[in-house]
Amino acid sequence: MQVSSAYASGLKEQIDIVYLWVDGSDPVWQAKRHVAYKAWIQDNPNELAVFGNVAGRYRDNGELLFNLRALEKFFPDHGHIYLVTDGQVPKWLQPSDRITLVDHASLMAPTAGAVFDSGNIESYLHLIPGLSERFLYLNDDVFFGETVDVDWWFGDRLKVFTEHMTVPNFSHFQPNETALVNASILSKNWLSQRYPHYRHDARVYSHAPRPMIKSAMFELEVIASELFERVRSTAFRSWQCPAIVPDLVPRWMVHQGYAEQIILNPMHISTGEPGAHKQFDKLLGEFGELPFFCLNDTCDEAQLDDPRLQRVSRTLSSLLPEPSSFELMDVTNELA
């Protein structure tokens, strides 16, 4: 790989951390979402992606609080933390010069309007002011599960992960398929058209921490400007406008030599599945020996007292009982 001068200089920098977070229980935010969705679906009938606007997509189960505990436990030498939100602040968050709250609207054009699609928001992350050349992007439901080795995650090439199982190799977007399948279709079509020697691997990328190179994202935005423009055009997740960060970005980085692809069977727990309790037991036994794990909220419209959601909080409290330096003690004691 021809390492850019920006990346080479970044090897001496700390690795910044970027999170997306939303508090779906906030009544002001809920009202904004309701108004925005009513207008969006009227203008975009039949475009909502599968599970694109269920409560589980926005629900806060306390994952970020425990995610920061895992970060401090397994990666204490991390760089600055950027928490990208919709103007919200976690009530337990201790103000710190090591964490910056970023209103996602500040990264977008003034005409963008309200946005509830993470695929739209994450396409702007490399524009965060002050962000390091190398950074790790995490959704708040993806946790480190063992000591982070920066050289392993980055090194000469970044690590990106696919699932073992292949997915249907469609040529056109599918309204009833998952967002990841449609993102894979987008990648296949765009990369095949641009790079004659590209060969598509019909696997989806894992829910994982995403090692990123800021200069590479700027490079891709120039050559794939139409894709960035398209994903930034929708307020809610649309099957016709798949996200590009979860699939196109890692595939392009692999093709360009920025990254190496690893086939992995990660610890991914869909919390609403009937057999999830067995996976939680496995997590309790293997915690500390997992590069990462994901607790994907698939309980959709469940109430907060649902036993499946309570199991998430109970498990995380057991795995990560020690507060991080980012918590207000009085508030976290109330949450315990």
Side-chain angles (χ1 to χ4, degrees), residues 23-58:
D23 177 7
S25 67
D26 175 5
V28 174
W29 180 89
Q30 287 179 345
K32 183 167 70 169
R33 170 190 164 204
H34 176 75
V35 171
Y37 183 69
K38 185 176 180 180
W40 183 82
I41 201 65
Q42 184 174 349
D43 293 336
N44 304 274
N46 305 315
E47 284 193 29
L48 185 68
V50 175
F51 308 119
N53 193 38
V54 295
R57 179 157 303 286
Y58 311 109

Side-chain angles (χ1 to χ4, degrees), residues 74-334:
F74 293 121
F75 190 17
D77 295 329
H78 62 80
H80 199 77
I81 297 172
Y82 295 92
L83 179 57
V84 181
T85 78
D86 190 2
Q88 298 175 311
V89 180
K91 63 182 180 180
W92 47 263
L93 186 66
Q94 169 71 51
S96 169
D97 59 5
R98 296 186 297 140
I99 187 166
T100 297
L101 289 163
V102 180
D103 188 333
H104 66 235
S106 70
L107 304 174
M108 303 174 179
T111 57
V115 175
F116 302 86
D117 176 15
S118 61
N120 181 332
I121 299 165
E122 66 193 7
S123 74
Y124 291 94
L125 297 183
H126 56 293
L127 303 179
I128 294 173
L131 182 66
S132 61
E133 169 67 1
R134 299 182 303 163
F135 65 98
L136 281 158
Y137 161 46
L138 297 91
N139 294 115
D140 63 355
D141 62 355
V142 175
F143 303 77
F144 289 117
E146 68 177 12
T147 300
V148 173
D149 181 349
V150 170
D151 290 335
W152 184 80
W153 280 94
F154 287 89
D156 291 334
R157 294 187 295 172
L158 314 186
K159 298 292 190 300
V160 295
F161 308 95
T162 63
E163 308 286 355
H164 273 286
M165 298 295 292
T166 58
V167 297
N169 200 10
F170 298 111
S171 297
H172 304 285
F173 299 145
Q174 303 293 310
N176 297 317
E177 284 288 351
T178 67
L180 287 178
V181 170
N182 281 320
S184 176
I185 295 168
L186 173 70
S187 299
K188 179 185 70 172
N189 293 342
W190 187 84
L191 289 167
S192 297
Q193 291 171 5
R194 186 169 185 89
Y195 303 102
H197 299 296
Y198 173 75
R199 295 294 178 267
H200 190 72
D201 184 356
R203 294 178 173 86
V204 297
Y205 280 83
S206 303
H207 289 78
R210 304 185 189 280
M212 309 282 279
I213 304 172
K214 184 169 67 172
S215 59
M217 288 300 298
F218 278 103
E219 179 184 347
L220 180 60
E221 185 171 1
V222 170
I223 62 178
S225 57
E226 75 282 5
L227 299 184
F228 279 81
E229 181 178 350
R230 185 170 185 176
V231 78
R232 291 168 177 174
S233 70
T234 181
F236 289 85
R237 184 171 291 194
S238 166
W239 62 269
Q240 295 184 4
C241 299
I244 57 180
V245 168
D247 197 280
L248 176 69
V249 168
R251 288 188 197 274
W252 175 79
M253 290 197 302
V254 169
H255 187 74
Q256 294 297 91
Y258 288 117
E260 62 178 305
Q261 180 172 297
I262 297 174
I263 298 174
L264 188 70
N265 185 24
M267 177 70 74
H268 180 280
I269 302 177
S270 295
T271 60
E273 293 299 312
H277 64 283
K278 295 180 181 179
Q279 291 179 290
F280 276 103
D281 290 342
K282 186 178 180 182
L283 173 61
L284 288 167
E286 297 182 7
F287 184 69
E289 300 177 352
L290 298 167
F292 57 87
F293 61 94
C294 177
L295 302 181
N296 187 20
D297 187 341
T298 58
C299 296
D300 298 342
E301 301 299 335
Q303 299 300 308
L304 291 178
D305 61 353
D306 190 293
R308 297 170 298 175
L309 298 178
Q310 293 178 344
R311 183 167 53 205
V312 173
S313 298
R314 187 168 61 249
T315 301
L316 289 173
S317 295
S318 175
L319 294 175
L320 296 157
E322 297 298 324
S324 75
S325 62
F326 300 105
E327 299 173 37
L328 292 167
M329 290 301 98
D330 291 343
V331 178
T332 49
N333 288 337
E334 291 177 9

